[in-house]
Amino acid sequence: PPEVFASPLRYDPFLVDIFSLGCVLLEITLGYKKRIKDLTQAETKYVSINPLLKIIFECCQENPSERPN
């Protein structure tokens, strides 16, 4: 998770777990080594109409305050 690298002594472990869960679910759903940043336009459009992928997308946000809690 990005915030662990930015400040290893000050981060919310719950939000880090949410990020990790999103990454694992993204790999299970779309395939190995997929990243939100690297999604094609068609995949991004599919995320917007699929409720499960939308939740995964929210979990993978780099900004911890934008993740579900």
Side-chain angles (χ1 to χ4, degrees), residues 57-68:
F57 183 78
E58 291 171 359
C59 291
C60 292
Q61 293 301 308
E62 289 187 12
N63 183 347
S65 64
E66 295 177 4
R67 296 179 200 145

Side-chain angles (χ1 to χ4, degrees), residues 21-67:
L21 174 67
C23 292
V24 170
L25 291 175
L26 183 68
E27 285 193 4
I28 290 170
T29 309
L30 294 180
Y32 183 66
K33 289 204 172 202
K34 280 287 186 177
R35 293 175 26 183
I36 293 293
K37 294 184 215 179
D38 300 334
L39 295 181
T40 64
Q41 187 177 14
E43 289 170 329
T44 304
K45 184 178 180 182
Y46 187 64
V47 166
S48 66
I49 61 172
N50 185 309
L52 176 61
L53 288 177
K54 187 175 180 194
I55 292 170
I56 294 170
F57 183 78
E58 291 171 359
C59 291
C60 292
Q61 293 301 308
E62 289 187 12
N63 183 347
S65 64
E66 295 177 4
R67 296 179 200 145

